Amino acid sequence: MAYGRHFLFVPGPSNVPERVLRAMDRAMVDHRSSAFPAFTREILSGLKELARTTEGQPFVFSATGTGAWEAALSNTLSPGDAVLAPRFGMFSQLWITLAERLGLEVRVIEQEWGEAASADKVEEALHHDKARAIKAVLLVHNETSTGVTSDIGAMRAALDKYDHPALLCVDGVSSIGALEFRMDDWGVDLAITGSQKGLMLPPGLGIVWASTRAVAAQAQAEIRRAYFRFDDMAASNEGGYFPYTPPLSLLYGLREVLQMLLAEGHEAIQARHARLAEGVRRAVKAWGLELCARSKGIASNTVTAVRVPDGIDAAAAIDIAFRRYDLSLGGGLGKVAGKVFRIGTMGDINELMVLGAVAGAEMALRDVGVRISPGSGVAAAMEYYRSIDPAAD
Ligand code: PLP
């Protein structure tokens, strides 16, 4: 379609703000000049503030979230180490596969897709680990495939209860920069994200924040690593440089995003995402459909995964939304392929844009035979947005 804006509502990549696009649209510079360190330092210090850490050290790699998973594990663990990981969606599944490929022994806690990671089950496993064989706990904070947010503070409490030394590794790929994330308060040892979701940038950066313990773990970690080395990165970052040619355009964008987000403030960022996602949830309820998330308290504010009725192919609705209405919705992944569609509420969007996405989803659902009263979801979301005045916060 040639006219109007495409409605990008997948849960990443998210819409990039104009201001950030402009910040990236600039000539290359010499990344070894004496002016460069001030730029690097501004980014690294902004990243610490974003993840709410004073001691955590950020590492910015040319990669994606998957590369950041690998960097986090390979710099801190050794082949044969046991790690504990709840599996409750596609991204926990993929991280487990990556950990196995690195030679780790993954002790999987199986859960239903749509549940949050169970702190009780993690606690039980840690309790039985008298030999302290478990070296790390891998948790996906926000399961983008099911639209579920887990309680990382409760996981820290489980570790503390048994004084267990395992590293707490948290995938914040669809949470950091959007949902509450407190690296220091939650005692997170490795926090991970990519650039294309809450950070509202194009894909291409894999970012890891490592606690002092995680940084120290490098000395014993024997997984082979070549490109993703904390030590090389830290040595160069110390002087304000990178060990290789950094992705300059993305870094210019990142600096801009950090300025925007930190000026907005953590609470306002969280409230914005909560507001936008609640409008979507009101629409889903008005349609008479169910969330993939098993309970309301765990439903994510960055992505809403919606179950379609039995006999309906969610992928067909997504394709109609794309072809007929110029709207990109997220598809169901893995076990929930064809059964859910997802609406992302990250990035440069506002209430009216969400209403457009809800309208498009509603039309596409009706087109594939879902019995929805026309306008019901849009009306419910509109009335919710009318009732909330963000300026009054
Ligand atoms: N973790 C989560 C929670 C994700 O949502 C994604 C991507 O959607 C990833 C990891 C993988 O990130 P990437 O696609 O940037 O490699």
Side-chain angles (χ1 to χ4, degrees):
M1 249 179 255
Y3 297 102
R5 284 284 172 108
H6 177 70
F7 273 63
L8 180 66
F9 273 84
V10 294
S14 57
N15 292 279
V16 181
E18 293 290 332
R19 186 177 147 183
V20 177
L21 288 172
R22 282 197 296 274
M24 291 189 296
D25 182 14
R26 52 175 292 174
M28 293 301 100
V29 295
D30 175 9
H31 62 289
R32 304 207 188 277
S33 80
S34 57
F36 203 75
F39 173 65
T40 305
R41 293 200 175 105
E42 185 183 344
I43 289 172
L44 295 178
S45 103
L47 283 173
K48 287 172 82 156
E49 207 178 325
L50 186 75
R52 293 184 160 182
T53 181
T54 49
E55 62 131 355
Q57 204 173 329
F59 296 95
V60 181
F61 293 102
S62 294
T64 64
T66 306
W69 276 343
E70 176 162 342
L73 301 183
S74 63
N75 279 279
T76 54
L77 298 166
S78 299
D81 279 353
V83 301
L84 185 66
R87 172 158 49 201
F88 56 110
M90 193 67 204
F91 293 101
S92 41
Q93 160 70 60
L94 287 169
W95 200 9
I96 287 166
T97 303
L98 181 135
E100 286 169 347
R101 286 181 184 166
L102 292 174
L104 297 167
E105 180 216 314
V106 187
R107 300 188 184 173
V108 177
I109 298 173
E110 291 294 353
Q111 295 194 234
E112 293 293 320
W113 286 36
E115 289 179 354
S118 164
D120 289 346
K121 289 188 175 146
V122 167
E123 188 181 314
E124 195 188 332
L126 294 173
H127 178 52
H128 288 112
D129 182 37
K130 306 285 185 224
R132 298 292 188 251
I134 296 170
K135 300 296 178 211
V137 180
L138 314 190
L139 294 163
V140 175
H141 183 202
N142 191 74
E143 227 329 327
T144 323
S145 60
T146 56
V148 165
T149 308
S150 293
D151 183 350
I152 303 302
M155 302 298 172
R156 169 43 65 196
L159 283 158
D160 289 350
K161 183 165 176 189
Y162 300 109
D163 208 13
H164 200 293
L167 295 170
L168 180 57
C169 309
V170 180
D171 170 328
V173 173
S174 55
S175 67
I176 292 176
L179 306 182
E180 181 178 31
F181 194 91
R182 296 175 172 275
M183 178 161 178
D184 286 359
D185 291 351
W186 296 341
V188 174
D189 290 296
L190 290 154
I192 291 150
T193 199
S195 45
Q196 74 275 19
K197 298 188 196 264
L199 295 181
M200 312 184 285
L201 289 164
L205 298 178
I207 304 172
V208 183
W209 290 256
S211 70
T212 310
R213 283 178 69 220
V215 169
Q218 282 172 101
Q220 284 81 44
E222 287 175 359
I223 292 179
R224 287 186 70 161
R225 47 197 185 273
Y227 175 77
F228 292 118
R229 291 192 68 102
F230 287 173
D231 52 1
D232 286 354
M233 187 62 92
S236 293
N237 282 176
E238 177 73 25
Y241 297 100
F242 283 77
Y244 46 73
T245 318
L248 293 167
S249 309
L250 284 168
L251 293 184
Y252 279 110
L254 178 58
R255 177 172 68 171
E256 197 72 15
V257 161
L258 289 168
Q259 286 171 359
M260 286 173 73
L261 292 178
L262 297 174
E264 183 180 5
H266 291 101
E267 278 70 28
I269 293 169
Q270 290 157 32
R272 170 164 56 89
H273 289 86
R275 195 169 64 242
L276 294 173
E278 180 60 22
V280 175
R281 289 190 290 264
R282 298 283 174 114
V284 173
K285 190 162 180 230
W287 290 334
L289 300 183
E290 300 287 332
L291 298 182
C292 189
R294 294 291 166 102
S295 59
K296 183 149 195 252
I298 61 171
S300 166
N301 285 335
T302 55
V303 50
T304 301
V306 185
R307 287 184 189 276
V308 295
D310 287 346
I312 298 288
D313 179 11
I318 291 165
D319 193 47
I320 288 181
F322 183 73
R323 284 188 296 101
R324 258 187 98 176
Y325 305 120
D326 217 4
L327 165 67
S328 287
L329 298 168
L333 303 172
K335 273 191 197 177
V336 291
K339 296 182 184 152
V340 308
F341 69 93
R342 297 174 299 146
I343 300 182
T345 40
M346 290 172 273
D348 190 35
I349 54 169
N350 59 26
E351 283 83 346
L352 287 185
M353 291 167 77
V354 176
L355 290 175
V358 167
E362 192 165 302
M363 289 192 286
L365 288 168
R366 282 177 51 75
D367 290 344
V368 295
V370 182
R371 290 167 184 271
I372 285 176
S373 162
S376 56
V378 180
M382 281 192 324
E383 286 306 284
Y384 171 71
Y385 290 144
R386 284 188 60 236
S387 73
I388 298 280
D389 179 4
D393 284 350

